[in-house]
Amino acid sequence: MSFTVPDLSGDRSEQYRQLVEQAEALVTGEPDRIANAANLSSLVFHALPDLNWVGFYFYDGRELVVGPFQGKPACVRIALAKGVCGTAADTRETQLVPDVHAFPGHIACDGDTRSEIVVPLVRDGELIGVFDLDSPIPARFDAIDQYGLEAVAHVFLAAI
């Protein structure tokens, strides 16, 4: 199978609609969470501008453990309620952080990161993990990104 990441067009909401369609096409018929997380990390990393890390952390029953990602090497384990990822996992709420240096307890896996968004992955009330995006640009993420990335996360959860 060959997959090309086409350029997104239109306004940002339309671009996310296209990205969700691409995500659905990529995971259709594949139930393996590692395979899907790997492909979705790559898709989003290459489709969206100004990112330096895109990936998944999976909950192992005690803490978050790094899964497939695109970017520099990452922190391997993150405790619940620690950093942006741990906070998203603990609260089960998306964390939209315009300045990671102002976030209490931020874990600096990549010193170039200035803003971050983390979407919790919850299915049937059970924490699966988090979907994490970092940017070297302050305030890179907004409500449009949150809505679009939550939709990508839903595609992931529906496939596994």
Side-chain angles (χ1 to χ4, degrees), residues 92-111:
R92 312 290 205 275
E93 295 177 0
T94 297
Q95 300 296 303
L96 180 61
V97 181
D99 179 3
V100 295
H101 299 298
F103 189 88
H106 171 252
I107 301 167
C109 296
D110 180 347

Side-chain angles (χ1 to χ4, degrees), residues 6 39 58 96 109 125 141:
N39 274 333
F58 293 119
L96 180 61
C109 296
F141 306 104

Side-chain angles (χ1 to χ4, degrees), residues 9-156:
S9 61
D11 65 18
R12 290 180 54 235
S13 294
E14 172 60 19
Q15 290 175 10
Y16 272 110
R17 189 194 64 70
Q18 293 168 26
L19 184 61
V20 167
E21 282 184 0
Q22 292 172 17
E24 288 171 339
L26 199 54
V27 302
T28 294
E30 179 53 64
D32 187 86
R33 77 175 185 172
I34 300 300
N36 288 337
N39 274 333
L40 290 177
S41 295
S42 180
L43 173 69
V44 172
F45 187 81
H46 291 286
L48 298 180
D50 302 320
L51 302 176
N52 61 321
W53 203 91
V54 175
F56 290 78
Y57 279 87
F58 293 119
Y59 183 58
D60 71 356
R62 293 185 338 253
E63 60 193 346
L64 297 171
V65 180
V66 71
F69 67 90
Q70 298 283 308
K72 292 180 183 176
C75 301
V76 174
R77 297 181 181 275
I78 299 174
L80 294 187
K82 301 295 182 189
V84 182
C85 288
T87 299
D90 189 52
T91 64
R92 312 290 205 275
E93 295 177 0
T94 297
Q95 300 296 303
L96 180 61
V97 181
D99 179 3
V100 295
H101 299 298
F103 189 88
H106 171 252
I107 301 167
C109 296
D110 180 347
D112 293 335
T113 296
R114 295 292 310 279
S115 60
E116 186 170 6
I117 185 169
V118 181
V119 179
L121 302 170
V122 179
R123 186 177 57 201
D124 299 327
E126 178 185 346
L127 178 64
I128 306 297
V130 298
F131 180 41
D132 180 22
L133 289 83
D134 296 356
S135 174
I137 309 297
R140 159 64 180 84
F141 306 104
D142 62 15
I144 293 171
D145 296 296
Q146 180 174 341
Y147 181 80
L149 295 168
E150 287 173 346
V152 171
H154 178 75
V155 168
F156 172 78

